[in-house]
């Protein structure tokens, strides 16, 4: 491997939204040739919150199939499940010994989660960023595409890497946030001031990439707008309509100006139907491919096994370097 490595992970919880698709996945497709991209289903991370085993297993597999169906090519990228590469847990332990409790207690996401999960304030919740650091550092990733909510976790990853490199000798690539061409930001259909969230408790706020057509149409019909009844791009004063225009532009290919010209005085009902239509058309091949993949579990498992093997080879190289540096006895 000599192209720079890009690493990203996704927790298999909630849904993969059109916001994830427009904002992240479509950009990843453009990185495929320039970088060595590694995408992990972060199934160990999501165990920090109680999961129903059968549902969790099904969802993780579904997320994997959705990545593939969205166009991520398993020959050009490494796609795998975090739990299939044991080195994540192992490096995580070692990195724990180079991370301070205070640093973890100061993480804003930990504080938020700790307030929310008072009945299950487990060690994993506190340790979550160290596992994430292990994900990234195992692969010597140079770039990590992260949203605002994960910036702090990337910062601590850098701190841990620098600390380790200084204590021993250069071992880890110190990763940076990937801020190349960012995809458009997509907001909730119910609250256009908030980012569309994969775990929105309001089912009308977000649309999944594999959602059925009637459901998509219904959600756009119910999308929160304003009372002006003019389709005009003005994120400040008309965040709902502007968000719908962005979604339409990103999925249907029309520019914002063209949308404005075509729909300005057509009324919101007509416009919302047109947005839904654009989204439905764009997602149709994804849903079809997803359905095909989910009917072929053996194929999915082959891809997952191959991904785990390729990821594992890189991970083992880094881990054995780390073990040697900290002074563990090597079996040779
Ligand atoms: N914590 C990330 C999130 O919730 C998911 C994640 C796990 C991740 N490991 C990662 C993201 C490594 C980037 C790199 O969004």
């Amino acid at each position: 491997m000599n192209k720079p490595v890009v690493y990203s992970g996704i927790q298999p919880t909630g849904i993969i939204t059109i916001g994830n698709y427009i904002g992240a996945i479509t950009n990843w497709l453009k990185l495929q040739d320039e970088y060595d991209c590694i995408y992990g289903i972060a199934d160990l991370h999501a165990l920090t919150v109680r999961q129903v085993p059968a549902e969790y297993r099904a969802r993780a597999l579904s997320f994997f199939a959705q990545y593939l169906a969205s166009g991520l090519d398993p020959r050009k990228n490494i796609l795998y499940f975090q739990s299939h590469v044991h080195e994540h847990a192992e490096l995580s332990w070692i990195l724990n010994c180079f991370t301070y409790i205070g640093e973890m207690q100061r993480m804003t996401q930990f504080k938020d989660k700790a307030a929310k999960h008072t009945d299950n304030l487990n060690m994993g919740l506190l340790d979550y960023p160290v596992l994430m650091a292990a994900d990234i550092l195992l692969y010597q990733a140079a770039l990590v595409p992260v949203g605002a909510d994960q910036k702090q976790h990337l910062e601590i990853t850098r701190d841990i890497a620098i600390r380790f490199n200084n204590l021993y000798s250069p071992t880890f690539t110190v990763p940076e946030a990937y801020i190349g061409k960012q995809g458009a930001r997509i907001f909730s259909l119910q609250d256009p001031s908030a980012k569309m969230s994969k775990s929105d408790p309001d089912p009308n706020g977000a649309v999944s990439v594999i959602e059925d057509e009637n459901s998509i149409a219904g959600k756009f019909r119910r999308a929160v707008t304003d009372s002006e009844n003019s389709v005009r791009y003005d994120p400040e004063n008309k965040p709902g309509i502007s968000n719908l225009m962005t979604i339409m532009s990103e999925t249907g290919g029309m520019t914002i100006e063209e949308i404005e010209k075509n729909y300005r005085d057509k009324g919101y009902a007509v416009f919302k139907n047109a947005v839904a239509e654009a989204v439905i058309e764009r997602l149709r091949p994804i849903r079809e491919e997803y359905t095909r993949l989910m009917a072929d579990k053996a194929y999915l498992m082959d891809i997952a096994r191959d991904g785990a093997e390729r990821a594992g080879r890189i991970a083992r190289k880094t881990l054995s370097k780390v073990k040697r540096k900290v002074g563990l006895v090597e079996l040779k």
Side-chain angles (χ1 to χ4, degrees), residues 7-9 11 42 45 128 132 135-136 144 150:
Y7 189 95
S8 186
Q11 293 195 74
H45 273 109
Y128 184 108
M132 184 160 153
D135 295 346
I136 296 165
V144 181
Q150 297 297 315

Side-chain angles (χ1 to χ4, degrees), residues 12 19 38 53 63 84 89 96-97 101 127 129 146 151 162 166 181 194 201 205 213 229 255 280 284 295 304 321:
I38 307 179
F63 267 48
H84 293 166
N96 271 335
C97 304
I101 297 168
D127 205 25
V146 282
K151 273 259 167 65
I162 292 168
N166 286 342
K181 193 193 161 312
E213 305 188 359
N229 219 28
T255 64
I280 287 168
R284 179 171 293 124
K321 210 154 78 165

